[in-house]
Amino acid sequence: RFTAQASSENDFETWLKDAKKINQDLSLGSYERLAEPSLHNPVAIYSATESNLYNKIVMKFMDPAHHEAEHQHDSAHFDYEDQP
């Protein structure tokens, strides 16, 4: 459960610019820590994600054996999205 906050487009663009300056990447390991049950966590903002992270998470539940093999051989590579 979370609270959503609405903002103007200008405020959102300012937030987005500030968020891109944050030097924190979302990896499979950090995602797994976030996915654990918890309460009252501070807001976390990530400027990049590990390459193919979404598919790795989905495959973890579809084919656990495949996920383990991929995780052992995958290097920590991050995708940085260039947006205007």
Side-chain angles (χ1 to χ4, degrees):
R1 187 171 162 191
F2 62 92
T3 302
Q5 292 180 321
S7 64
S8 68
E9 187 171 345
N10 190 44
D11 288 345
F12 175 75
E13 293 298 327
T14 299
W15 174 85
L16 185 59
K17 187 186 337 180
D18 291 342
K20 288 181 178 185
K21 295 176 187 174
I22 295 173
N23 189 24
Q24 186 170 346
D25 299 328
L26 181 61
S27 66
L28 183 58
S30 57
Y31 168 81
E32 288 173 344
R33 286 187 295 278
L34 283 172
E36 293 175 6
S38 60
L39 296 171
H40 309 295
N41 294 328
V43 172
I45 299 173
Y46 299 91
S47 57
T49 60
E50 182 175 322
S51 179
N52 210 18
L53 181 60
Y54 176 80
N55 289 335
K56 290 176 185 178
I57 294 166
V58 170
M59 289 308 296
K60 180 176 160 181
F61 297 99
M62 300 297 288
D63 182 5
H66 173 76
H67 168 72
E68 288 301 319
E70 182 180 78
H71 188 62
Q72 290 173 355
H73 300 290
D74 194 23
S75 63
H77 177 266
F78 294 90
D79 290 328
Y80 293 87
E81 186 174 327
D82 293 329
Q83 294 183 357

